[in-house]
């Protein structure tokens, strides 16, 4: 899925320069060259949640922390945001995002069809990728440097558990993401379940092996009305047991 190069600037697991070698093109091809059934399930969970839990104001400030080579979390937030910040540490990923927004791959239409189907909030958006391009700000940023109380809605997909093998770092990253939102702001966060790490174009990246209880413990101090959904997934890569999606609001 979409890891994010937001590892802390210290060498617990991976030196920062390795993230600069992250092969965004290879990652996109493996994960988002087509709409997988696990992503379709995640989209349904998140899009339905935001439909029922719309942020205030109607068109506020959104953030996607660590998008990597993934545009669909930002597309899901599009009806609710006048500005979408793609908060990404890796230059390789920021460069990829800029190029992708200029000339997007056709597979994003499969994702948009799944996002918009049966949800009237998306009906006014006839050109989603052009609309996203006009509202996006790509910002260099580390999850550990997020400032609190900044955004009205947020997503973080496959970041906190995919930048370190340490449970305390996973917890800290998750809580900093939620705290970057304003009080009562809705959010969605996705995680790999029981991940043992992953390889992109021959380069190995770390992971923290977590389950639903770990996600609840990480979110408990900062979020309320949390639901953690398990998402079945097979064949993406070795060394994981599906995915999880947490939805809720910042305390």
């Amino acid at each position: 899925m979409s890891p994010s190069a937001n590892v802390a600037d210290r060498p617990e697991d991976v030196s920062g320069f390795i993230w600069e070698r992250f092969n965004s093109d290879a990652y996109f091809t493996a994960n988002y060259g087509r709409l997988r059934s696990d992503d379709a399930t995640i989209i349904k969970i998140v899009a339905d949640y935001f439909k029922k839990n719309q942020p205030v104001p109607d068109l506020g400030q959104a953030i996607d922390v660590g998008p990597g080579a993934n545009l669909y979390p930002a597309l899901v937030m599009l009806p609710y945001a006048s500005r979408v910040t793609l908060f990404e540490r890796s230059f390789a990923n920021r460069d990829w995002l800029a190029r992708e927004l200029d000339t997007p791959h056709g597979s994003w239409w499969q994702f948009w069809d799944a996002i918009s189907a049966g949800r009237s909030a998306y009906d006014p958006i006839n050109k989603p990728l052009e609309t996203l391009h006009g509202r996006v700000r790509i910002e260099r940023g580390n999850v550990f440097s997020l400032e609190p109380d900044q955004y009205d809605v947020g997503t973080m997909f496959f970041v906190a558990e995919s930048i370190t093998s340490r449970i305390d770092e996973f917890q800290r990253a998750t809580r900093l993401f939620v705290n970057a939102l304003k009080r009562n702001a809705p959010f969605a966060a996705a995680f790999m379940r029981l991940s043992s790490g992953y390889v992109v174009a021959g380069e190995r990246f770390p992971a923290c092996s977590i389950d639903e209880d770990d996600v609840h413990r990480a979110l408990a101090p900062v979020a309320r009305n949390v639901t953690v959904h398990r998402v079945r997934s097979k064949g993406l890569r070795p060394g994981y047991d599906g995915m999880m999606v947490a939805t809720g609001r910042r305390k």
Side-chain angles (χ1 to χ4, degrees):
M1 306 303 289
S2 174
S4 170
N6 280 301
V7 70
D9 289 324
R10 49 191 184 280
E12 275 92 350
D13 289 288
V14 181
S15 298
F17 73 89
I18 291 181
W19 297 101
E20 300 312 321
R21 299 205 305 266
F22 190 84
N23 191 319
S24 309
D25 288 318
Y27 195 82
F28 165 81
T29 299
N31 292 273
Y32 305 117
R34 62 180 178 87
L35 175 63
R36 293 171 47 91
S37 62
D38 42 25
D39 280 313
T41 301
I42 291 170
I43 285 169
K44 176 172 174 50
I45 292 167
V46 176
D48 285 349
Y49 179 75
F50 286 145
K51 178 181 177 180
K52 296 175 182 177
N53 297 269
Q54 296 185 18
V56 178
D58 292 340
L59 285 173
Q61 300 293 307
I63 187 170
D64 181 33
V65 176
N70 184 5
L71 294 181
Y72 85 72
L75 288 167
V76 171
M77 294 188 288
L78 205 50
Y80 314 112
S82 60
R83 173 73 69 183
V84 181
T85 297
L86 303 180
F87 198 75
E88 174 61 51
R89 180 181 189 268
S90 165
F91 172 80
N93 281 334
R94 294 197 308 274
D95 181 65
W96 185 92
L97 288 165
R99 289 185 286 108
E100 186 67 12
L101 287 162
D102 282 339
T103 312
H105 285 85
S107 61
W108 295 119
W109 281 100
Q110 299 174 30
F111 291 83
W112 180 254
D113 287 344
I115 290 167
S116 60
R119 300 180 183 95
S120 59
Y122 298 89
D123 290 347
I125 305 173
N126 296 317
K127 298 180 179 180
L129 294 161
E130 290 183 24
T131 302
L132 182 64
H133 189 287
R135 296 185 189 178
V136 151
R137 177 179 65 183
I138 301 172
E139 183 176 335
R140 181 176 183 265
N142 186 320
V143 66
F144 297 100
S145 66
L146 282 166
E147 296 182 2
D149 305 308
Q150 299 296 307
Y151 300 94
D152 302 294
V153 59
T155 53
M156 182 180 69
F157 280 27
F158 311 106
V159 175
E161 83 293 3
S162 299
I163 56 176
T164 180
S165 61
R166 288 177 45 175
I167 190 70
D168 62 325
E169 293 288 326
F170 155 73
Q171 291 174 338
R172 184 170 170 238
T174 301
R175 292 166 187 169
L176 285 168
F177 157 64
V178 176
N179 276 334
L181 306 177
K182 296 175 183 177
R183 295 194 182 278
N184 204 41
F187 68 85
F191 307 92
M192 300 300 287
R193 188 176 190 274
L194 302 181
S195 177
S196 60
Y198 53 102
V199 176
V200 179
E203 193 82 66
R204 185 162 187 84
F205 294 86
C208 184
S209 180
I210 59 168
D211 62 14
E212 293 88 336
D213 289 341
D214 294 306
V215 174
H216 276 292
R217 279 191 289 268
L219 288 170
V222 294
R224 63 179 182 85
N225 299 340
V226 172
T227 302
V228 180
H229 308 259
R230 185 168 176 182
V231 176
R232 302 291 178 180
S233 176
K234 292 184 178 180
L236 178 64
R237 58 171 172 77
Y240 77 112
D241 184 29
M243 303 164 190
M244 299 171 287
V245 179
T247 56
R249 289 181 179 269
R250 190 200 157 178
K251 284 184 176 178

mmCIF file of all heavy atoms in Angstrom, residues 54-91:
data_model
loop_
_atom_site.group_PDB
_atom_site.id
_atom_site.type_symbol
_atom_site.label_atom_id
_atom_site.label_comp_id
_atom_site.label_asym_id
_atom_site.label_seq_id
_atom_site.Cartn_x
_atom_site.Cartn_y
_atom_site.Cartn_z
ATOM 1 N N GLN A 54 -19.086 14.653 8.402
ATOM 2 C CA GLN A 54 -18.452 15.701 7.622
ATOM 3 C C GLN A 54 -17.774 16.715 8.530
ATOM 4 O O GLN A 54 -18.278 17.046 9.604
ATOM 5 C CB GLN A 54 -19.480 16.395 6.736
ATOM 6 C CG GLN A 54 -20.069 15.461 5.693
ATOM 7 C CD GLN A 54 -20.993 16.168 4.728
ATOM 8 O OE1 GLN A 54 -20.967 17.390 4.599
ATOM 9 N NE2 GLN A 54 -21.815 15.405 4.024
ATOM 10 N N PRO A 55 -16.628 17.193 8.100
ATOM 11 C CA PRO A 55 -15.912 18.183 8.910
ATOM 12 C C PRO A 55 -16.607 19.533 8.886
ATOM 13 O O PRO A 55 -17.427 19.812 8.014
ATOM 14 C CB PRO A 55 -14.539 18.264 8.246
ATOM 15 C CG PRO A 55 -14.781 17.848 6.829
ATOM 16 C CD PRO A 55 -15.887 16.834 6.880
ATOM 17 N N VAL A 56 -16.273 20.340 9.854
ATOM 18 C CA VAL A 56 -16.739 21.725 9.937
ATOM 19 C C VAL A 56 -15.497 22.613 9.932
ATOM 20 O O VAL A 56 -14.574 22.364 10.713
ATOM 21 C CB VAL A 56 -17.563 21.955 11.219
ATOM 22 C CG1 VAL A 56 -17.989 23.409 11.320
ATOM 23 C CG2 VAL A 56 -18.778 21.019 11.228
ATOM 24 N N PRO A 57 -15.391 23.611 9.069
ATOM 25 C CA PRO A 57 -16.385 24.086 8.098
ATOM 26 C C PRO A 57 -16.538 23.137 6.915
ATOM 27 O O PRO A 57 -15.782 22.177 6.780
ATOM 28 C CB PRO A 57 -15.800 25.429 7.656
ATOM 29 C CG PRO A 57 -14.323 25.249 7.801
ATOM 30 C CD PRO A 57 -14.149 24.402 9.029
ATOM 31 N N ASP A 58 -17.515 23.461 6.038
ATOM 32 C CA ASP A 58 -17.814 22.578 4.918
ATOM 33 C C ASP A 58 -16.613 22.389 4.006
ATOM 34 O O ASP A 58 -16.373 21.294 3.508
ATOM 35 C CB ASP A 58 -18.992 23.124 4.106
ATOM 36 C CG ASP A 58 -20.299 23.060 4.883
ATOM 37 O OD1 ASP A 58 -20.366 22.273 5.846
ATOM 38 O OD2 ASP A 58 -21.224 23.794 4.540
ATOM 39 N N LEU A 59 -15.892 23.446 3.737
ATOM 40 C CA LEU A 59 -14.694 23.368 2.895
ATOM 41 C C LEU A 59 -13.514 23.877 3.716
ATOM 42 O O LEU A 59 -13.112 25.030 3.619
ATOM 43 C CB LEU A 59 -14.866 24.173 1.612
ATOM 44 C CG LEU A 59 -15.758 23.546 0.544
ATOM 45 C CD1 LEU A 59 -15.981 24.513 -0.604
ATOM 46 C CD2 LEU A 59 -15.156 22.239 0.027
ATOM 47 N N GLY A 60 -12.969 23.006 4.517
ATOM 48 C CA GLY A 60 -11.889 23.374 5.411
ATOM 49 C C GLY A 60 -10.525 22.977 4.876
ATOM 50 O O GLY A 60 -10.327 22.792 3.670
ATOM 51 N N GLN A 61 -9.604 22.827 5.798
ATOM 52 C CA GLN A 61 -8.227 22.464 5.474
ATOM 53 C C GLN A 61 -8.028 20.979 5.769
ATOM 54 O O GLN A 61 -8.298 20.520 6.879
ATOM 55 C CB GLN A 61 -7.255 23.295 6.307
ATOM 56 C CG GLN A 61 -7.367 24.789 6.085
ATOM 57 C CD GLN A 61 -6.930 25.187 4.684
ATOM 58 O OE1 GLN A 61 -5.843 24.856 4.227
ATOM 59 N NE2 GLN A 61 -7.801 25.922 3.995
ATOM 60 N N ALA A 62 -7.555 20.234 4.765
ATOM 61 C CA ALA A 62 -7.337 18.799 4.897
ATOM 62 C C ALA A 62 -5.856 18.485 4.831
ATOM 63 O O ALA A 62 -5.074 19.230 4.221
ATOM 64 C CB ALA A 62 -8.083 18.041 3.803
ATOM 65 N N ILE A 63 -5.473 17.360 5.433
ATOM 66 C CA ILE A 63 -4.100 16.890 5.341
ATOM 67 C C ILE A 63 -4.089 15.392 5.100
ATOM 68 O O ILE A 63 -4.881 14.644 5.692
ATOM 69 C CB ILE A 63 -3.285 17.227 6.612
ATOM 70 C CG1 ILE A 63 -1.806 16.860 6.408
ATOM 71 C CG2 ILE A 63 -3.869 16.559 7.857
ATOM 72 C CD1 ILE A 63 -0.886 17.364 7.492
ATOM 73 N N ASP A 64 -3.227 14.966 4.196
ATOM 74 C CA ASP A 64 -2.908 13.553 4.039
ATOM 75 C C ASP A 64 -1.441 13.398 4.418
ATOM 76 O O ASP A 64 -0.554 13.919 3.728
ATOM 77 C CB ASP A 64 -3.159 13.076 2.610
ATOM 78 C CG ASP A 64 -2.863 11.597 2.446
ATOM 79 O OD1 ASP A 64 -3.080 10.841 3.412
ATOM 80 O OD2 ASP A 64 -2.409 11.191 1.357
ATOM 81 N N VAL A 65 -1.184 12.715 5.515
ATOM 82 C CA VAL A 65 0.172 12.579 6.034
ATOM 83 C C VAL A 65 0.843 11.381 5.368
ATOM 84 O O VAL A 65 0.351 10.256 5.470
ATOM 85 C CB VAL A 65 0.167 12.406 7.560
ATOM 86 C CG1 VAL A 65 1.576 12.158 8.079
ATOM 87 C CG2 VAL A 65 -0.431 13.635 8.226
ATOM 88 N N GLY A 66 1.944 11.649 4.694
ATOM 89 C CA GLY A 66 2.712 10.587 4.058
ATOM 90 C C GLY A 66 2.012 9.915 2.907
ATOM 91 O O GLY A 66 1.829 8.701 2.912
ATOM 92 N N PRO A 67 1.609 10.667 1.886
ATOM 93 C CA PRO A 67 0.892 10.045 0.766
ATOM 94 C C PRO A 67 1.740 9.066 -0.027
ATOM 95 O O PRO A 67 1.194 8.160 -0.660
ATOM 96 C CB PRO A 67 0.480 11.240 -0.095
ATOM 97 C CG PRO A 67 1.445 12.324 0.267
ATOM 98 C CD PRO A 67 1.745 12.119 1.720
ATOM 99 N N GLY A 68 3.055 9.232 -0.029
ATOM 100 C CA GLY A 68 3.877 8.360 -0.851
ATOM 101 C C GLY A 68 3.485 8.489 -2.312
ATOM 102 O O GLY A 68 3.490 9.585 -2.870
ATOM 103 N N ALA A 69 3.097 7.366 -2.909
ATOM 104 C CA ALA A 69 2.671 7.364 -4.314
ATOM 105 C C ALA A 69 1.184 7.082 -4.418
ATOM 106 O O ALA A 69 0.727 6.352 -5.297
ATOM 107 C CB ALA A 69 3.469 6.328 -5.100
ATOM 108 N N ASN A 70 0.417 7.671 -3.529
ATOM 109 C CA ASN A 70 -1.009 7.376 -3.431
ATOM 110 C C ASN A 70 -1.818 8.668 -3.415
ATOM 111 O O ASN A 70 -1.626 9.510 -2.542
ATOM 112 C CB ASN A 70 -1.275 6.578 -2.147
ATOM 113 C CG ASN A 70 -2.717 6.139 -2.016
ATOM 114 O OD1 ASN A 70 -3.529 6.333 -2.914
ATOM 115 N ND2 ASN A 70 -3.033 5.542 -0.881
ATOM 116 N N LEU A 71 -2.752 8.798 -4.361
ATOM 117 C CA LEU A 71 -3.616 9.965 -4.424
ATOM 118 C C LEU A 71 -5.006 9.721 -3.864
ATOM 119 O O LEU A 71 -5.748 10.677 -3.633
ATOM 120 C CB LEU A 71 -3.757 10.447 -5.874
ATOM 121 C CG LEU A 71 -2.511 10.997 -6.572
ATOM 122 C CD1 LEU A 71 -2.877 11.438 -7.987
ATOM 123 C CD2 LEU A 71 -1.893 12.150 -5.798
ATOM 124 N N TYR A 72 -5.405 8.475 -3.618
ATOM 125 C CA TYR A 72 -6.820 8.287 -3.343
ATOM 126 C C TYR A 72 -7.288 8.779 -1.971
ATOM 127 O O TYR A 72 -8.447 9.213 -1.859
ATOM 128 C CB TYR A 72 -7.272 6.857 -3.667
ATOM 129 C CG TYR A 72 -7.099 5.772 -2.640
ATOM 130 C CD1 TYR A 72 -7.897 5.716 -1.496
ATOM 131 C CD2 TYR A 72 -6.206 4.735 -2.856
ATOM 132 C CE1 TYR A 72 -7.779 4.676 -0.585
ATOM 133 C CE2 TYR A 72 -6.081 3.689 -1.957
ATOM 134 C CZ TYR A 72 -6.871 3.666 -0.822
ATOM 135 O OH TYR A 72 -6.758 2.637 0.067
ATOM 136 N N PRO A 73 -6.446 8.801 -0.923
ATOM 137 C CA PRO A 73 -6.938 9.433 0.309
ATOM 138 C C PRO A 73 -7.284 10.917 0.105
ATOM 139 O O PRO A 73 -8.283 11.406 0.628
ATOM 140 C CB PRO A 73 -5.769 9.253 1.290
ATOM 141 C CG PRO A 73 -5.053 8.050 0.787
ATOM 142 C CD PRO A 73 -5.149 8.149 -0.708
ATOM 143 N N ALA A 74 -6.452 11.611 -0.677
ATOM 144 C CA ALA A 74 -6.732 13.017 -0.972
ATOM 145 C C ALA A 74 -8.004 13.160 -1.792
ATOM 146 O O ALA A 74 -8.812 14.072 -1.571
ATOM 147 C CB ALA A 74 -5.553 13.651 -1.699
ATOM 148 N N LEU A 75 -8.219 12.265 -2.738
ATOM 149 C CA LEU A 75 -9.439 12.315 -3.546
ATOM 150 C C LEU A 75 -10.679 12.087 -2.684
ATOM 151 O O LEU A 75 -11.721 12.713 -2.904
ATOM 152 C CB LEU A 75 -9.372 11.269 -4.667
ATOM 153 C CG LEU A 75 -8.409 11.570 -5.819
ATOM 154 C CD1 LEU A 75 -8.209 10.341 -6.688
ATOM 155 C CD2 LEU A 75 -8.907 12.746 -6.660
ATOM 156 N N VAL A 76 -10.588 11.205 -1.694
ATOM 157 C CA VAL A 76 -11.724 10.960 -0.810
ATOM 158 C C VAL A 76 -12.111 12.231 -0.053
ATOM 159 O O VAL A 76 -13.298 12.506 0.173
ATOM 160 C CB VAL A 76 -11.404 9.825 0.182
ATOM 161 C CG1 VAL A 76 -12.496 9.711 1.244
ATOM 162 C CG2 VAL A 76 -11.275 8.492 -0.548
ATOM 163 N N MET A 77 -11.135 13.049 0.321
ATOM 164 C CA MET A 77 -11.417 14.262 1.095
ATOM 165 C C MET A 77 -11.817 15.455 0.244
ATOM 166 O O MET A 77 -12.172 16.515 0.765
ATOM 167 C CB MET A 77 -10.191 14.630 1.941
ATOM 168 C CG MET A 77 -9.865 13.633 3.033
ATOM 169 S SD MET A 77 -8.556 14.220 4.163
ATOM 170 C CE MET A 77 -7.113 14.098 3.092
ATOM 171 N N LEU A 78 -11.783 15.310 -1.065
ATOM 172 C CA LEU A 78 -11.934 16.455 -1.962
ATOM 173 C C LEU A 78 -13.225 17.259 -1.755
ATOM 174 O O LEU A 78 -13.183 18.505 -1.778
ATOM 175 C CB LEU A 78 -11.827 15.975 -3.410
ATOM 176 C CG LEU A 78 -11.379 16.980 -4.467
ATOM 177 C CD1 LEU A 78 -10.114 17.709 -4.049
ATOM 178 C CD2 LEU A 78 -11.166 16.262 -5.807
ATOM 179 N N PRO A 79 -14.389 16.637 -1.526
ATOM 180 C CA PRO A 79 -15.601 17.465 -1.363
ATOM 181 C C PRO A 79 -15.612 18.287 -0.086
ATOM 182 O O PRO A 79 -16.432 19.203 0.054
ATOM 183 C CB PRO A 79 -16.736 16.424 -1.316
ATOM 184 C CG PRO A 79 -16.161 15.172 -1.850
ATOM 185 C CD PRO A 79 -14.709 15.203 -1.508
ATOM 186 N N TYR A 80 -14.719 17.974 0.840
ATOM 187 C CA TYR A 80 -14.758 18.596 2.161
ATOM 188 C C TYR A 80 -13.612 19.571 2.403
ATOM 189 O O TYR A 80 -13.455 20.070 3.519
ATOM 190 C CB TYR A 80 -14.727 17.507 3.233
ATOM 191 C CG TYR A 80 -15.682 16.370 2.945
ATOM 192 C CD1 TYR A 80 -15.227 15.098 2.628
ATOM 193 C CD2 TYR A 80 -17.061 16.591 2.946
ATOM 194 C CE1 TYR A 80 -16.109 14.068 2.342
ATOM 195 C CE2 TYR A 80 -17.956 15.565 2.659
ATOM 196 C CZ TYR A 80 -17.470 14.302 2.356
ATOM 197 O OH TYR A 80 -18.347 13.285 2.067
ATOM 198 N N ALA A 81 -12.818 19.852 1.378
ATOM 199 C CA ALA A 81 -11.599 20.633 1.591
ATOM 200 C C ALA A 81 -11.369 21.641 0.480
ATOM 201 O O ALA A 81 -11.453 21.311 -0.705
ATOM 202 C CB ALA A 81 -10.389 19.698 1.687
ATOM 203 N N SER A 82 -11.089 22.873 0.868
ATOM 204 C CA SER A 82 -10.666 23.879 -0.104
ATOM 205 C C SER A 82 -9.170 23.781 -0.368
ATOM 206 O O SER A 82 -8.672 24.270 -1.378
ATOM 207 C CB SER A 82 -11.006 25.282 0.402
ATOM 208 O OG SER A 82 -10.346 25.539 1.637
ATOM 209 N N ARG A 83 -8.451 23.144 0.558
ATOM 210 C CA ARG A 83 -7.013 22.927 0.416
ATOM 211 C C ARG A 83 -6.668 21.560 0.974
ATOM 212 O O ARG A 83 -7.138 21.200 2.051
ATOM 213 C CB ARG A 83 -6.220 24.006 1.161
ATOM 214 C CG ARG A 83 -4.715 23.780 1.218
ATOM 215 C CD ARG A 83 -4.051 24.043 -0.120
ATOM 216 N NE ARG A 83 -4.075 25.457 -0.452
ATOM 217 C CZ ARG A 83 -3.602 25.951 -1.594
ATOM 218 N NH1 ARG A 83 -3.083 25.142 -2.504
ATOM 219 N NH2 ARG A 83 -3.664 27.258 -1.840
ATOM 220 N N VAL A 84 -5.894 20.789 0.226
ATOM 221 C CA VAL A 84 -5.431 19.485 0.681
ATOM 222 C C VAL A 84 -3.903 19.513 0.723
ATOM 223 O O VAL A 84 -3.250 19.655 -0.313
ATOM 224 C CB VAL A 84 -5.903 18.350 -0.243
ATOM 225 C CG1 VAL A 84 -5.420 16.998 0.295
ATOM 226 C CG2 VAL A 84 -7.416 18.354 -0.394
ATOM 227 N N THR A 85 -3.355 19.411 1.909
ATOM 228 C CA THR A 85 -1.900 19.378 2.076
ATOM 229 C C THR A 85 -1.416 17.943 2.015
ATOM 230 O O THR A 85 -1.859 17.090 2.789
ATOM 231 C CB THR A 85 -1.488 20.009 3.416
ATOM 232 O OG1 THR A 85 -1.871 21.380 3.418
ATOM 233 C CG2 THR A 85 0.017 19.903 3.631
ATOM 234 N N LEU A 86 -0.520 17.665 1.073
ATOM 235 C CA LEU A 86 0.156 16.371 1.005
ATOM 236 C C LEU A 86 1.478 16.526 1.744
ATOM 237 O O LEU A 86 2.399 17.174 1.252
ATOM 238 C CB LEU A 86 0.383 15.954 -0.448
ATOM 239 C CG LEU A 86 -0.882 15.861 -1.318
ATOM 240 C CD1 LEU A 86 -0.520 15.432 -2.731
ATOM 241 C CD2 LEU A 86 -1.909 14.924 -0.711
ATOM 242 N N PHE A 87 1.545 15.973 2.931
ATOM 243 C CA PHE A 87 2.634 16.204 3.872
ATOM 244 C C PHE A 87 3.606 15.036 3.772
ATOM 245 O O PHE A 87 3.376 13.957 4.317
ATOM 246 C CB PHE A 87 2.046 16.310 5.277
ATOM 247 C CG PHE A 87 2.946 16.952 6.300
ATOM 248 C CD1 PHE A 87 3.145 18.315 6.316
ATOM 249 C CD2 PHE A 87 3.564 16.177 7.264
ATOM 250 C CE1 PHE A 87 3.950 18.910 7.278
ATOM 251 C CE2 PHE A 87 4.367 16.754 8.228
ATOM 252 C CZ PHE A 87 4.570 18.126 8.242
ATOM 253 N N GLU A 88 4.704 15.232 3.071
ATOM 254 C CA GLU A 88 5.585 14.126 2.679
ATOM 255 C C GLU A 88 7.055 14.468 2.908
ATOM 256 O O GLU A 88 7.530 15.514 2.472
ATOM 257 C CB GLU A 88 5.347 13.808 1.197
ATOM 258 C CG GLU A 88 6.282 12.787 0.597
ATOM 259 C CD GLU A 88 6.182 11.431 1.271
ATOM 260 O OE1 GLU A 88 5.058 10.897 1.409
ATOM 261 O OE2 GLU A 88 7.240 10.902 1.663
ATOM 262 N N ARG A 89 7.756 13.584 3.594
ATOM 263 C CA ARG A 89 9.163 13.824 3.915
ATOM 264 C C ARG A 89 10.090 13.597 2.720
ATOM 265 O O ARG A 89 11.044 14.330 2.498
ATOM 266 C CB ARG A 89 9.599 12.911 5.062
ATOM 267 C CG ARG A 89 11.072 13.101 5.457
ATOM 268 C CD ARG A 89 11.446 12.157 6.587
ATOM 269 N NE ARG A 89 12.767 12.458 7.106
ATOM 270 C CZ ARG A 89 13.876 11.900 6.672
ATOM 271 N NH1 ARG A 89 13.825 11.015 5.690
ATOM 272 N NH2 ARG A 89 15.042 12.225 7.207
ATOM 273 N N SER A 90 9.853 12.540 1.965
ATOM 274 C CA SER A 90 10.791 12.100 0.931
ATOM 275 C C SER A 90 10.745 12.993 -0.308
ATOM 276 O O SER A 90 9.682 13.215 -0.890
ATOM 277 C CB SER A 90 10.452 10.663 0.524
ATOM 278 O OG SER A 90 11.085 10.313 -0.678
ATOM 279 N N PHE A 91 11.906 13.472 -0.724
ATOM 280 C CA PHE A 91 11.966 14.242 -1.967
ATOM 281 C C PHE A 91 11.514 13.386 -3.142
ATOM 282 O O PHE A 91 10.801 13.868 -4.045
ATOM 283 C CB PHE A 91 13.381 14.759 -2.229
ATOM 284 C CG PHE A 91 13.532 15.387 -3.595
ATOM 285 C CD1 PHE A 91 13.107 16.681 -3.815
ATOM 286 C CD2 PHE A 91 14.055 14.658 -4.651
ATOM 287 C CE1 PHE A 91 13.205 17.254 -5.081
ATOM 288 C CE2 PHE A 91 14.162 15.224 -5.921
ATOM 289 C CZ PHE A 91 13.740 16.527 -6.133
#
